[in-house]
Amino acid sequence: MRPLCLLLLCCLSMSSVALASEAGHRAAAERFLKLARAQSMTAPLYVQTDQLLVARFAQLGGSMQHETLLRKYRERARTLLDRQLAWEAIRDELIELYLPVFSEQEFEELARFYESEVGSKLLEHLPELTRGSMAIARERVEEVLAPQLEQLIEEMGRELELHQLGPTDG
């Protein structure tokens, strides 16, 4: 009986260590996400939603004399977004997303980086750097790649047409 009790006690202590380890991992993930300003990642959605409402309001014939109506619906939309996108609403899902990717130690290293001067600077400038990078890529696609791809497609169409006509006797 004594060995069974020891085995049971050992299993219980191992599960409490595992739970403590999991709790530490989750806490490290949450700390990192807060440092990485994950709670502000939804801000662009608020702007886009507001722009959409204003545009639709205008399309529906709304004018400035009905601005109070627009304001009312903007507030309702914000309430909906707050309910679904607030940090408290998405925190657990974000943590679950990050947990399998980084270990507790890696979260701690990331947190130390984001707390550093250069890490803070990166966080401060990351949105504008991301926007700039996307603008460069979009410009390259529109000005360089799109015409080249269009030419490639036309060339493919001509070659396909030749193949569909079959060999000609000449």
Side-chain angles (χ1 to χ4, degrees), residues 5 14 90 93 146:
C5 288
M14 286 174 40
I90 63 172
E93 288 177 73

Side-chain angles (χ1 to χ4, degrees), residues 50-60:
D50 192 59
Q51 291 171 343
L52 174 70
L53 280 172
V54 170
R56 295 289 292 153
F57 181 77
Q59 287 175 348
L60 293 169

Side-chain angles (χ1 to χ4, degrees), residues 9-129:
L9 184 61
C10 188
C11 288
L12 287 174
S13 67
M14 286 174 40
S15 67
S16 65
V17 168
L19 288 175
S21 178
E22 184 181 326
H25 193 193
R26 289 186 70 76
E30 183 170 357
R31 177 174 175 242
F32 161 71
L33 286 168
K34 285 181 178 178
L35 285 170
R37 302 176 187 160
Q39 68 273 21
S40 64
M41 73 176 192
T42 59
L45 295 171
Y46 283 76
V47 173
Q48 291 170 353
T49 301
D50 192 59
Q51 291 171 343
L52 174 70
L53 280 172
V54 170
R56 295 289 292 153
F57 181 77
Q59 287 175 348
L60 293 169
S63 64
M64 292 317 286
Q65 72 186 48
H66 298 102
E67 186 181 1
T68 57
L69 185 64
L70 174 60
R71 198 173 315 118
K72 171 185 157 184
Y73 281 91
R74 285 168 121 173
E75 288 173 18
R76 287 179 62 187
R78 182 170 188 80
T79 300
L80 287 171
L81 290 169
D82 285 345
R83 192 175 305 131
Q84 295 300 320
L85 299 177
W87 172 246
E88 295 76 23
I90 63 172
R91 176 185 58 229
D92 290 338
E93 288 177 73
L94 285 175
I95 290 171
E96 291 299 324
L97 177 67
Y98 278 75
L99 280 176
V101 178
F102 299 104
S103 69
E104 183 174 350
Q105 180 182 348
E106 290 169 328
F107 280 126
E108 294 299 333
E109 289 176 31
L110 286 166
R112 280 193 297 279
F113 171 71
Y114 281 124
E115 288 174 328
S116 73
E117 191 174 320
V118 72
S120 294
K121 185 175 183 177
L122 174 65
L123 280 175
E124 179 184 338
H125 294 285
L126 195 56
E128 68 193 60
L129 293 170

